[in-house]
Amino acid sequence: MAIIHDDFGRRRFLSQAVMGFGLLFGMGTLGLRFLQFLIPSPTPKRYEAVLIGAESRVPVGDAVPMDLGGQKIMVLRTNDGVVAFSRRCTDLGCLVSWSKEREQFVCPCHQGVFDKTGRNIAGPPPRPLDRFEVVKRGGQLYVNIQSS
Amino acid sequence: MESAASPVEHRAEPKSWIDYIQKDLPEHLDWWPYTLGAIPLTLFGLLVATGLLLTFYYVPSPDKAYESIEQITNEVYLGWFVRGVHKFSVDLMILFLFFHVIRVFVTRAYRTPGELKWVTGSVVLLVTLGMGFTGYSLVYDNVSYWGMTVVTNMLGTLPIVGQPLLYLLRGGEEVSGGTLLRLYDLHTKLLPVLLGILVAGHVVVVRLLGFADVRGSRRFHPFYPEHTMMMGAVAVGLLVLITDLVMIFPPTLGPPADPQEVASDVSPPWYFSAPYMWITLLPGPVALWSLLGAVGLFVVYPFLDRALSERGWPMTAVNAGVGTAVVLLVVVLMMLDTRM
């Protein structure tokens, strides 16, 4: 292939390169902005204490599923006290249920199993269930849930 | 000797785009397995037609989506039929795309200068899978709702792009009404336009680059009317098959989506069950990276083939082996999924 040594070829190449990069940069920026428009930014989380009722609402050894403003939780009462877990399986987001006989949380999607402390003990879940703080105020239980 | 020479060589060079489309075809395309590419094309047309009809009734909101599908299925005149044709067309389209890919892979029809044919075709397959998933989610019964939750979660675990992709698809952290609207927009606007362009591009690229050489295939047969008739016969056959399938297995609808109760069978659609099982069985990062790697290799396979055959690898045998192994693995994973 012949190499062009004249100014005309060089000038044309430079001008086309600048225009090409300019166009790419412009389109890229526009594309990026459009993508940002489509991807909502994560809203800041804050903790909120939500009243879930008296302790007696949950029988000992049992867990009660609740929906607190979209947060699906499971309130479990054992001899050690009351604990609240997110029902979202840490594998692929299905909802876990409490098995009273086995004293375990079981995910129906891939048989992920968590013990009563929320620890992942079998199946594909990579980490324990998310846990929420439970506070007792004047005989009533409150769960500190994340809300956006 | 006149008849032995290729008649196309005696013709004037094609000039307009219609001449490219109508260019005569190598004689091996007379054989039925070589219509495997025309089948998904026909089904795509059928999907566009029935999909357009369905949009006249479907309402993409969590309160109305299920109700509108119920209305389409049980009340609207021939609604069940239109929905059934749409549903079977997508299943068959994906199935025949797989067959087409296997045929091209085993015969190594992507060899130079056909790399671009493979690359455009592989993107067509990926976008079609995206169409399948988004459409499956729109039904909004409980299986579809949890399928959508699980698949978007799966995408969310992808490295780097996972979380932005999750937010992009869901319109937030959780599956919500916004998610349904987004998937609806993707399914009825963005992806079909993209797929239409890609399919047209794939067909044009195939016609421009020509068909792969097949040993013994020296003659040509006319695109019109011979090959067109053959494609017409395939289309009619498909229509008969789909009509029969819809009659025998009319579309059903499970209980409505219940965000509080996981469906008893949260399987994604059949074409995702193999990767779904793969992710289930292997530890997260290994499963994801291997899947991503496999998709990447799949798209650029012609270049890999070229590099390896230059080093003396017997690629025909390699492809036969790899193809068989992948098909077997997919079948085993799908069987495992039905048992879990």
Side-chain angles (χ1 to χ4, degrees), chain A residues 72-96:
Chain A
K72 292 157 197 113
I73 65 163
M74 189 69 96
V75 181
L76 169 72
R77 187 172 167 202
T78 58
N79 293 327
D80 304 330
V82 180
V83 274
F85 295 104
S86 165
R87 283 187 72 194
R88 266 177 67 144
C89 178
T90 51
D91 175 28
L92 289 174
C94 291
L95 297 182
V96 298

mmCIF file of all heavy atoms in Angstrom, chain A residues 72-96:
data_model
loop_
_atom_site.group_PDB
_atom_site.id
_atom_site.type_symbol
_atom_site.label_atom_id
_atom_site.label_comp_id
_atom_site.label_asym_id
_atom_site.label_seq_id
_atom_site.Cartn_x
_atom_site.Cartn_y
_atom_site.Cartn_z
ATOM 1 N N LYS A 72 -40.026 -8.201 53.286
ATOM 2 C CA LYS A 72 -40.623 -9.462 53.740
ATOM 3 C C LYS A 72 -39.726 -10.068 54.799
ATOM 4 O O LYS A 72 -38.580 -10.419 54.515
ATOM 5 C CB LYS A 72 -40.795 -10.403 52.565
ATOM 6 C CG LYS A 72 -41.856 -9.894 51.607
ATOM 7 C CD LYS A 72 -41.691 -10.443 50.235
ATOM 8 C CE LYS A 72 -42.480 -9.609 49.265
ATOM 9 N NZ LYS A 72 -41.614 -8.884 48.337
ATOM 10 N N ILE A 73 -40.257 -10.142 56.017
ATOM 11 C CA ILE A 73 -39.421 -10.662 57.098
ATOM 12 C C ILE A 73 -40.076 -11.875 57.759
ATOM 13 O O ILE A 73 -41.252 -12.176 57.536
ATOM 14 C CB ILE A 73 -39.123 -9.582 58.163
ATOM 15 C CG1 ILE A 73 -40.419 -9.153 58.875
ATOM 16 C CG2 ILE A 73 -38.441 -8.379 57.565
ATOM 17 C CD1 ILE A 73 -40.147 -8.439 60.175
ATOM 18 N N MET A 74 -39.292 -12.562 58.557
ATOM 19 C CA MET A 74 -39.766 -13.722 59.300
ATOM 20 C C MET A 74 -39.356 -13.489 60.749
ATOM 21 O O MET A 74 -38.166 -13.326 61.028
ATOM 22 C CB MET A 74 -39.061 -14.957 58.716
ATOM 23 C CG MET A 74 -39.562 -16.265 59.184
ATOM 24 S SD MET A 74 -41.204 -16.617 58.576
ATOM 25 C CE MET A 74 -40.868 -17.609 57.164
ATOM 26 N N VAL A 75 -40.337 -13.416 61.641
ATOM 27 C CA VAL A 75 -40.016 -13.176 63.046
ATOM 28 C C VAL A 75 -40.050 -14.516 63.775
ATOM 29 O O VAL A 75 -41.080 -15.194 63.807
ATOM 30 C CB VAL A 75 -41.009 -12.186 63.679
ATOM 31 C CG1 VAL A 75 -40.649 -11.933 65.135
ATOM 32 C CG2 VAL A 75 -41.009 -10.873 62.911
ATOM 33 N N LEU A 76 -38.913 -14.909 64.297
ATOM 34 C CA LEU A 76 -38.785 -16.223 64.930
ATOM 35 C C LEU A 76 -38.614 -16.055 66.431
ATOM 36 O O LEU A 76 -37.838 -15.222 66.895
ATOM 37 C CB LEU A 76 -37.551 -16.939 64.333
ATOM 38 C CG LEU A 76 -37.084 -18.210 65.027
ATOM 39 C CD1 LEU A 76 -38.061 -19.354 64.774
ATOM 40 C CD2 LEU A 76 -35.689 -18.604 64.542
ATOM 41 N N ARG A 77 -39.373 -16.874 67.168
ATOM 42 C CA ARG A 77 -39.229 -16.821 68.625
ATOM 43 C C ARG A 77 -38.679 -18.153 69.123
ATOM 44 O O ARG A 77 -39.271 -19.207 68.856
ATOM 45 C CB ARG A 77 -40.585 -16.541 69.267
ATOM 46 C CG ARG A 77 -40.490 -16.299 70.760
ATOM 47 C CD ARG A 77 -41.825 -15.843 71.293
ATOM 48 N NE ARG A 77 -41.843 -15.889 72.736
ATOM 49 C CZ ARG A 77 -42.945 -15.959 73.456
ATOM 50 N NH1 ARG A 77 -44.125 -15.973 72.849
ATOM 51 N NH2 ARG A 77 -42.895 -15.997 74.757
ATOM 52 N N THR A 78 -37.553 -18.087 69.763
ATOM 53 C CA THR A 78 -36.972 -19.309 70.337
ATOM 54 C C THR A 78 -36.860 -19.084 71.840
ATOM 55 O O THR A 78 -37.233 -18.020 72.345
ATOM 56 C CB THR A 78 -35.559 -19.575 69.762
ATOM 57 O OG1 THR A 78 -34.757 -18.432 70.054
ATOM 58 C CG2 THR A 78 -35.596 -19.823 68.281
ATOM 59 N N ASN A 79 -36.313 -20.071 72.528
ATOM 60 C CA ASN A 79 -36.146 -19.914 73.970
ATOM 61 C C ASN A 79 -35.155 -18.803 74.302
ATOM 62 O O ASN A 79 -35.161 -18.253 75.390
ATOM 63 C CB ASN A 79 -35.678 -21.238 74.579
ATOM 64 C CG ASN A 79 -36.764 -22.288 74.476
ATOM 65 O OD1 ASN A 79 -37.965 -21.959 74.540
ATOM 66 N ND2 ASN A 79 -36.376 -23.537 74.258
ATOM 67 N N ASP A 80 -34.297 -18.481 73.290
ATOM 68 C CA ASP A 80 -33.300 -17.428 73.519
ATOM 69 C C ASP A 80 -33.863 -16.030 73.301
ATOM 70 O O ASP A 80 -33.204 -15.044 73.575
ATOM 71 C CB ASP A 80 -32.108 -17.618 72.568
ATOM 72 C CG ASP A 80 -31.503 -19.005 72.724
ATOM 73 O OD1 ASP A 80 -31.586 -19.529 73.842
ATOM 74 O OD2 ASP A 80 -30.990 -19.552 71.724
ATOM 75 N N GLY A 81 -35.041 -15.951 72.709
ATOM 76 C CA GLY A 81 -35.620 -14.631 72.459
ATOM 77 C C GLY A 81 -36.240 -14.546 71.074
ATOM 78 O O GLY A 81 -36.488 -15.564 70.415
ATOM 79 N N VAL A 82 -36.449 -13.305 70.642
ATOM 80 C CA VAL A 82 -37.088 -13.088 69.343
ATOM 81 C C VAL A 82 -36.062 -12.516 68.362
ATOM 82 O O VAL A 82 -35.320 -11.596 68.690
ATOM 83 C CB VAL A 82 -38.281 -12.113 69.472
ATOM 84 C CG1 VAL A 82 -38.945 -11.887 68.116
ATOM 85 C CG2 VAL A 82 -39.300 -12.656 70.466
ATOM 86 N N VAL A 83 -36.027 -13.095 67.176
ATOM 87 C CA VAL A 83 -35.119 -12.590 66.136
ATOM 88 C C VAL A 83 -35.914 -12.385 64.841
ATOM 89 O O VAL A 83 -36.927 -13.049 64.621
ATOM 90 C CB VAL A 83 -33.942 -13.564 65.838
ATOM 91 C CG1 VAL A 83 -32.801 -13.342 66.770
ATOM 92 C CG2 VAL A 83 -34.407 -15.001 65.849
ATOM 93 N N ALA A 84 -35.448 -11.457 64.044
ATOM 94 C CA ALA A 84 -36.129 -11.216 62.765
ATOM 95 C C ALA A 84 -35.129 -11.349 61.618
ATOM 96 O O ALA A 84 -34.028 -10.811 61.678
ATOM 97 C CB ALA A 84 -36.739 -9.821 62.762
ATOM 98 N N PHE A 85 -35.540 -12.104 60.592
ATOM 99 C CA PHE A 85 -34.693 -12.306 59.413
ATOM 100 C C PHE A 85 -35.436 -11.841 58.171
ATOM 101 O O PHE A 85 -36.664 -11.870 58.120
ATOM 102 C CB PHE A 85 -34.366 -13.793 59.225
ATOM 103 C CG PHE A 85 -33.546 -14.374 60.326
ATOM 104 C CD1 PHE A 85 -34.133 -15.189 61.297
ATOM 105 C CD2 PHE A 85 -32.184 -14.129 60.408
ATOM 106 C CE1 PHE A 85 -33.388 -15.734 62.311
ATOM 107 C CE2 PHE A 85 -31.423 -14.669 61.423
ATOM 108 C CZ PHE A 85 -32.027 -15.470 62.384
ATOM 109 N N SER A 86 -34.662 -11.476 57.177
ATOM 110 C CA SER A 86 -35.270 -11.214 55.872
ATOM 111 C C SER A 86 -35.650 -12.569 55.281
ATOM 112 O O SER A 86 -34.932 -13.551 55.446
ATOM 113 C CB SER A 86 -34.264 -10.525 54.959
ATOM 114 O OG SER A 86 -34.715 -10.577 53.638
ATOM 115 N N ARG A 87 -36.799 -12.602 54.592
ATOM 116 C CA ARG A 87 -37.196 -13.879 53.992
ATOM 117 C C ARG A 87 -36.490 -14.128 52.669
ATOM 118 O O ARG A 87 -36.638 -15.195 52.088
ATOM 119 C CB ARG A 87 -38.714 -13.895 53.755
ATOM 120 C CG ARG A 87 -39.515 -14.133 55.004
ATOM 121 C CD ARG A 87 -40.980 -14.306 54.666
ATOM 122 N NE ARG A 87 -41.259 -15.574 54.005
ATOM 123 C CZ ARG A 87 -42.393 -15.848 53.369
ATOM 124 N NH1 ARG A 87 -43.336 -14.944 53.309
ATOM 125 N NH2 ARG A 87 -42.586 -17.017 52.796
ATOM 126 N N ARG A 88 -35.781 -13.115 52.181
ATOM 127 C CA ARG A 88 -35.119 -13.262 50.877
ATOM 128 C C ARG A 88 -33.948 -14.211 50.956
ATOM 129 O O ARG A 88 -32.976 -13.947 51.673
ATOM 130 C CB ARG A 88 -34.605 -11.903 50.404
ATOM 131 C CG ARG A 88 -35.563 -11.191 49.503
ATOM 132 C CD ARG A 88 -34.998 -9.866 49.172
ATOM 133 N NE ARG A 88 -33.794 -10.044 48.353
ATOM 134 C CZ ARG A 88 -33.470 -9.214 47.379
ATOM 135 N NH1 ARG A 88 -34.228 -8.182 47.136
ATOM 136 N NH2 ARG A 88 -32.389 -9.410 46.688
ATOM 137 N N CYS A 89 -34.057 -15.301 50.238
ATOM 138 C CA CYS A 89 -32.964 -16.262 50.199
ATOM 139 C C CYS A 89 -31.746 -15.564 49.592
ATOM 140 O O CYS A 89 -31.867 -14.815 48.618
ATOM 141 C CB CYS A 89 -33.345 -17.465 49.346
ATOM 142 S SG CYS A 89 -32.040 -18.672 49.194
ATOM 143 N N THR A 90 -30.585 -15.804 50.162
ATOM 144 C CA THR A 90 -29.389 -15.105 49.682
ATOM 145 C C THR A 90 -28.855 -15.720 48.388
ATOM 146 O O THR A 90 -27.875 -15.246 47.836
ATOM 147 C CB THR A 90 -28.288 -15.108 50.755
ATOM 148 O OG1 THR A 90 -28.106 -16.455 51.195
ATOM 149 C CG2 THR A 90 -28.661 -14.218 51.907
ATOM 150 N N ASP A 91 -29.540 -16.781 47.916
ATOM 151 C CA ASP A 91 -29.133 -17.368 46.642
ATOM 152 C C ASP A 91 -29.698 -16.543 45.496
ATOM 153 O O ASP A 91 -29.015 -15.697 44.940
ATOM 154 C CB ASP A 91 -29.602 -18.828 46.587
ATOM 155 C CG ASP A 91 -29.324 -19.475 45.251
ATOM 156 O OD1 ASP A 91 -28.368 -19.048 44.605
ATOM 157 O OD2 ASP A 91 -30.063 -20.398 44.862
ATOM 158 N N LEU A 92 -30.981 -16.744 45.178
ATOM 159 C CA LEU A 92 -31.543 -16.019 44.039
ATOM 160 C C LEU A 92 -32.810 -15.236 44.388
ATOM 161 O O LEU A 92 -33.602 -14.908 43.510
ATOM 162 C CB LEU A 92 -31.810 -16.985 42.883
ATOM 163 C CG LEU A 92 -30.555 -17.524 42.187
ATOM 164 C CD1 LEU A 92 -30.897 -18.570 41.161
ATOM 165 C CD2 LEU A 92 -29.751 -16.405 41.533
ATOM 166 N N GLY A 93 -33.009 -14.972 45.656
ATOM 167 C CA GLY A 93 -34.076 -14.050 46.043
ATOM 168 C C GLY A 93 -35.463 -14.656 46.212
ATOM 169 O O GLY A 93 -36.437 -13.921 46.302
ATOM 170 N N CYS A 94 -35.586 -15.984 46.241
ATOM 171 C CA CYS A 94 -36.891 -16.574 46.556
ATOM 172 C C CYS A 94 -37.164 -16.364 48.055
ATOM 173 O O CYS A 94 -36.277 -15.928 48.782
ATOM 174 C CB CYS A 94 -36.891 -18.067 46.253
ATOM 175 S SG CYS A 94 -36.795 -18.432 44.507
ATOM 176 N N LEU A 95 -38.377 -16.673 48.500
ATOM 177 C CA LEU A 95 -38.705 -16.442 49.913
ATOM 178 C C LEU A 95 -38.562 -17.726 50.724
ATOM 179 O O LEU A 95 -39.108 -18.767 50.350
ATOM 180 C CB LEU A 95 -40.134 -15.927 50.027
ATOM 181 C CG LEU A 95 -40.426 -14.570 49.374
ATOM 182 C CD1 LEU A 95 -41.861 -14.172 49.617
ATOM 183 C CD2 LEU A 95 -39.480 -13.508 49.910
ATOM 184 N N VAL A 96 -37.851 -17.641 51.837
ATOM 185 C CA VAL A 96 -37.694 -18.833 52.686
ATOM 186 C C VAL A 96 -38.909 -19.002 53.588
ATOM 187 O O VAL A 96 -39.617 -18.036 53.881
ATOM 188 C CB VAL A 96 -36.412 -18.751 53.557
ATOM 189 C CG1 VAL A 96 -35.173 -18.694 52.699
ATOM 190 C CG2 VAL A 96 -36.461 -17.534 54.481
#
